[in-house]
């Protein structure tokens, strides 16, 4: 049985910034959905193994579910999947214009 946890990283964000952090204790896989009316944006999914003793964030490689390409920089709305086993995860909006973005994650094991 898959246990699913939803997490909203951004809700109608209109400015660059870092989301709240989701810590994956028992989840292995994740999908995020980027939606909204922003016309131009650049987003990264970042992870950290140990935020307490080594709080270095690394940009993850994610899979675009529409064409299975791997990306580190997200510039289109859609669904993206990645592995989260034992990581803390955040989403970083590097730039945004022309509207807002909502970014929601779904975590499962």
């Amino acid at each position: 049985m898959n246990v699913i946890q939803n997490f909203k990283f951004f809700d109608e964000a209109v400015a660059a910034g870092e989301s709240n952090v989701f810590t994956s204790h028992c989840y292995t896989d994740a999908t995020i959905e980027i939606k909204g009316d922003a016309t131009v944006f650049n987003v990264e999914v970042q992870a950290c193994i140990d935020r307490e003793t080594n709080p270095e964030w690394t940009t993850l490689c994610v899979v675009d579910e529409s064409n299975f390409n791997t990306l580190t920089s997200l510039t289109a709305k859609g669904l993206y999947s990645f592995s989260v086993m034992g990581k803390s995860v955040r989403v970083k909006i590097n730039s945004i214009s022309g509207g807002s973005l909502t970014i929601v994650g779904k975590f499962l094991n």
Side-chain angles (χ1 to χ4, degrees), residues 25-86:
H25 297 290
C26 64
Y27 302 100
T28 58
D29 298 308
T31 300
I32 63 165
E33 180 178 16
I34 300 175
K35 55 188 176 180
D37 59 0
T39 54
V40 177
F41 59 88
N42 182 288
V43 171
E44 295 176 13
V45 178
Q46 298 181 325
C48 182
I49 299 283
D50 185 0
R51 289 185 353 187
E52 309 242 342
T53 59
N54 186 18
E56 246 183 78
W57 291 92
T58 302
T59 300
L60 294 178
C61 204
V62 301
V63 176
D64 183 335
E65 291 296 323
S66 69
N67 57 22
F68 302 110
N69 288 335
T70 55
L71 307 163
T72 56
S73 179
L74 310 178
T75 58
K77 297 166 203 151
L79 295 172
Y80 302 91
S81 61
F82 52 96
S83 173
V84 294
M85 179 65 104

